[in-house]
Amino acid sequence: MVVDKHEQLAPLDTDRPALSVVVPIYNEAESLPHLLKAITTNLDALALTYEVICVDDGSSDGSTEILRQQTEVYPYLRAVLLRRNYGQTPAMAAGFNYACGDVIITLDGDLQNDPSDIPRLLAKLDEGYDLVSGWRKERQDAALTRLLPSKIANWLIGKVTGVSLHDYGCSLKAYRAELVMDMKLYGELHRFLPALAFIEGARIAELPVLHHARQFGQSKYGLGRTFRVLMDLLTIFFMKKFLTRPMHVFGLFGLVCMILGTITGLYLTVLKLGLGQSIGDRPLLILAVVLFLTGVQLFSFGLLAELSMRTYHESQNRPIYRVREVLGADKPMPPM
Ligand code: UDP
Ligand code: MG
């Protein structure tokens, strides 16, 4: 069971940094040293305490060894090594779980995001927002396979979720820690964090940030991601609509159908028994039966949905990743 880490760390409160930088790493060996240097340079200029949490998502290119070395160099670096490649979302979820800061910044490990934007994100957050999302205004990625699908996806996500951001896919974001603490992520859901946060009443802002072309290594994604993102969007849509009370939606439709079916049925019964008319060949009879059955079905479906949603809510303590080892473990960390 995952214990609430804030409860756990309460006596060590003074050790808690103001800021946690969370970076998912999957085969970014060449970028890593540059990245850590850039983060350090930009954050040392600010008068605040911080930690960097690199989540190694089962890298096989030597990133793990580099992280091992770097934890010796940077005292505020913690590397969380996952047992295999789980994907960006679980890697970020692991990072969130190990982060102790009051504010969490996420960015990519491939140098495409620029740590020099961090102070501006923090300043924006201080204006009273719970989440500040980066907007790669001049995005340096392939136009046809990346920019176009992303434009369409962003538009769709905005329409469905009701949070209009230009760029959901930008990893560079700043969150108040309590916002992400109890968010359960899976699939490609990390890009829907603003939408999920919005459902929970967060105040969200957007800020144009720098974006660079990839210098080292390769992108881990192709067109297939667009499909997965769309499927996750459907989930979000249903979560937004039905998550808390499915019975309100299905139960209502079910009840309306049942009532209409009953009225029609009663009418036919009066015709048959009261007036002695034949009703066997009337289409209305079919309608009455269909309405009633549909009503019963929708109603019981609503009850089932309600039950499974309860299970969903109550079984949320299961982590979606497994940790092999934590380096730089001189700091407090949540039990797994
Ligand atoms: N990443 C990860 N696990 C994966 C795929 C990607 O941790 O299975 C990390 C990757 O190392 C990078 C970030 O997620 O830091 C974004 O990946 P990438 O740069 O390939 O995505 P793109 O910028 O092309 O959208
Ligand atoms: Mg990238």
Side-chain angles (χ1 to χ4, degrees):
M1 205 186 88
V2 181
V3 180
D4 177 36
K5 89 189 68 159
H6 283 284
E7 234 164 67
Q8 274 279 314
L9 296 178
L12 297 163
D13 231 16
T14 43
D15 284 349
R16 271 178 58 192
L19 173 67
S20 300
V21 181
V22 169
V23 194
I25 303 284
Y26 181 49
N27 294 344
E28 310 285 3
E30 281 171 289
S31 307
L32 257 177
H34 301 283
L35 177 77
L36 291 172
K37 199 169 278 168
I39 292 177
T40 310
T41 316
N42 283 287
L43 291 189
D44 281 350
L46 303 173
L48 51 74
T49 51
Y50 67 94
E51 62 176 358
V52 179
I53 297 177
C54 287
V55 183
D56 176 26
D57 187 17
S59 296
S60 55
D61 71 335
S63 297
T64 317
E65 285 64 42
I66 292 177
L67 279 174
R68 206 175 282 280
Q69 292 158 15
Q70 302 289 328
T71 46
E72 311 276 311
V73 179
Y74 299 104
Y76 46 78
L77 171 66
R78 187 187 292 162
V80 177
L81 314 183
L82 301 187
R83 288 201 205 168
R84 62 165 172 88
N85 178 237
Y86 284 90
Q88 195 178 345
T89 298
M92 285 177 66
F96 289 150
N97 198 31
Y98 276 82
C100 301
D102 296 321
V103 171
I104 296 179
I105 298 248
T106 53
L107 71 154
D108 279 349
D110 58 0
L111 298 169
Q112 289 199 267
N113 298 131
D114 199 319
S116 69
D117 283 318
I118 293 178
R120 285 173 52 242
L121 286 177
L122 292 177
K124 191 79 189 170
L125 205 66
D126 274 345
E127 285 176 22
Y129 293 100
D130 300 307
L131 193 167
V132 180
S133 182
W135 168 20
R136 296 164 292 181
K137 210 168 178 176
E138 281 155 45
R139 188 171 164 189
Q140 309 294 323
D141 278 319
L144 198 62
T145 51
R146 305 303 297 273
L147 302 196
L148 185 66
S150 147
K151 255 210 151 65
I152 299 171
N154 283 320
W155 178 81
L156 257 181
I157 297 173
K159 280 278 166 252
V160 169
T161 62
V163 201
S164 286
L165 296 183
H166 290 91
D167 187 7
Y168 281 86
C170 182
S171 298
L172 183 56
K173 291 191 172 84
Y175 311 87
R176 295 209 177 279
E178 62 266 22
L179 197 66
V180 294
M181 272 321 154
D182 42 24
M183 289 234 183
K184 298 296 156 189
L185 300 177
Y186 54 90
E188 299 272 338
L189 279 194
H190 70 267
R191 73 184 51 241
F192 294 108
L193 270 170
L196 292 170
F198 182 73
I199 294 175
E200 312 227 332
R203 300 184 54 187
I204 298 168
E206 192 175 41
L207 200 69
V209 293
L210 299 170
H211 193 243
H212 307 294
R214 221 179 216 281
Q215 293 178 49
F216 309 106
Q218 285 169 357
S219 171
K220 313 301 182 285
Y221 299 105
L223 260 182
R225 176 166 68 181
T226 313
F227 173 75
R228 295 197 300 273
V229 166
L230 288 182
M231 289 302 110
D232 280 346
L233 182 61
L234 269 180
T235 314
I236 293 283
F237 178 69
F238 277 99
M239 280 173 86
K240 191 176 163 220
K241 283 265 185 281
F242 309 134
L243 189 58
T244 38
R245 304 315 305 268
M247 201 51 192
H248 286 189
V249 181
F250 294 107
L252 180 70
F253 279 131
L255 218 56
V256 168
C257 285
M258 267 195 277
I259 290 174
L260 288 179
T262 310
I263 293 175
T264 321
L266 281 178
Y267 168 69
L268 289 173
T269 312
V270 170
L271 289 188
K272 169 83 184 166
L273 297 183
L275 304 175
Q277 292 182 12
S278 150
I279 57 167
D281 55 350
R282 297 195 59 167
L284 203 57
L285 183 62
I286 301 177
L287 184 68
V289 173
V290 167
L291 274 176
F292 192 78
L293 284 185
T294 312
V296 172
Q297 297 256 351
L298 278 176
F299 200 79
S300 31
F301 182 81
L303 275 178
L304 281 180
E306 187 93 11
L307 272 182
S308 76
M309 276 308 164
R310 260 168 218 285
T311 320
Y312 170 82
H313 280 296
E314 281 161 21
S315 64
Q316 291 206 341
N317 274 334
R318 221 173 64 83
I320 51 170
Y321 54 86
R322 292 277 178 263
V323 173
R324 184 183 299 283
E325 189 187 349
V326 178
L327 306 172
D330 49 328
K331 302 182 194 93
M333 77 185 74
M336 287 314 295

